[in-house]
Amino acid sequence: MTRMVLFTETNSVFGSYFLTRLARHDDVILAAVVLREPGTLCDYYLDEPEPLDLAKDAAELDVHTLRPAHINTDEFITAIGGLAPDYFIVANYQLRLGQRLLAVPSYDALNFHPSPLPRYAGLAPFYWMAENHETQGGVSAVRTTAGLDEGPLVAQQLLTLTGGETVREIRDMHFAASWRLFDLVLPTLLDRSYRTWDQDLSKRTYFGHPPAEASLESRV
């Protein structure tokens, strides 16, 4: 059995699939899910008609939950090291994992990011793709490093856009593609057969938080 720890946001639509998939996988022990401290929500999902609570979902799946305010402390690193994880899986977690924390898994730490890295690194890539009327999207799995979305690629799939989609349309398309990519990558994690290649960081674009008035329904 392969032991994993998932890092995601408490109300994450993106992370919900990873939680359920790992918790129910016959060859995985999901040793814990790491969520943000109580009361902290990811603002990507504040307008969802049916808000998610992954702490509640984890309890129903009998998955241990950790909710630290700070993740790079000695206390947290010791606690998560005690779970003896083989992998960290990061899926829409907005605190940066430091180098000492990333050294905890016995095998690797991987991040699933809904953009065609090295393009659209950073926050809410679906918003910025709409803003830029992007015609070439994509989803990526990368090795998690101290640099944000800079690690070697593990897998990637490109997606064609028209340049006229709403933010929500791009988001939903990229989330679904990321979940499919995860299903393709997961067996290679279990048998340790995956390979990596370096990103061409000369092509990197990075975007921060969308403006407060951003709407999922807009075409920007």
Side-chain angles (χ1 to χ4, degrees), residues 70-88:
H70 305 284
I71 59 172
N72 294 301
T73 63
D74 291 343
E75 180 182 10
F76 181 71
I77 291 171
T78 298
I80 206 162
L83 300 175
D86 297 301
Y87 289 97
F88 286 168

Side-chain angles (χ1 to χ4, degrees), residues 5-19 22 33-35 42 44-45 54 88-95 97 110-114 140 144 175 178-179 182:
V5 171
L6 173 66
F7 290 74
T8 189
E9 297 288 320
T10 304
N11 59 331
S12 177
V13 172
F14 188 69
S16 177
Y17 180 86
F18 292 82
L19 172 62
L22 290 171
V33 58
V34 180
L35 304 173
C42 179
Y44 295 176
Y45 310 108
L54 270 61
F88 286 168
I89 302 296
V90 182
N92 181 206
Y93 188 69
Q94 295 193 326
L95 296 180
L97 282 64
L110 302 180
N111 175 40
F112 287 80
H113 185 73
S140 306
T144 309
F175 280 15
S178 292
W179 299 332
F182 179 60

Side-chain angles (χ1 to χ4, degrees), residues 1-2 19-30 182-183 186-187 190:
M1 298 287 281
T2 299
L19 172 62
T20 302
R21 184 78 172 92
L22 290 171
R24 293 178 174 169
H25 197 288
D26 290 340
D27 297 318
V28 172
I29 296 174
L30 185 55
F182 179 60
D183 285 341
L186 184 54
L190 299 180

Side-chain angles (χ1 to χ4, degrees), residues 2 11 37 39 49 107 110 120-121 131 136 146 169 200:
T2 299
N11 59 331
E37 62 185 314
Y107 205 78
L110 302 180
Y120 294 99
E131 169 79 17
Q136 181 66 78
E169 287 168 344
D200 181 355

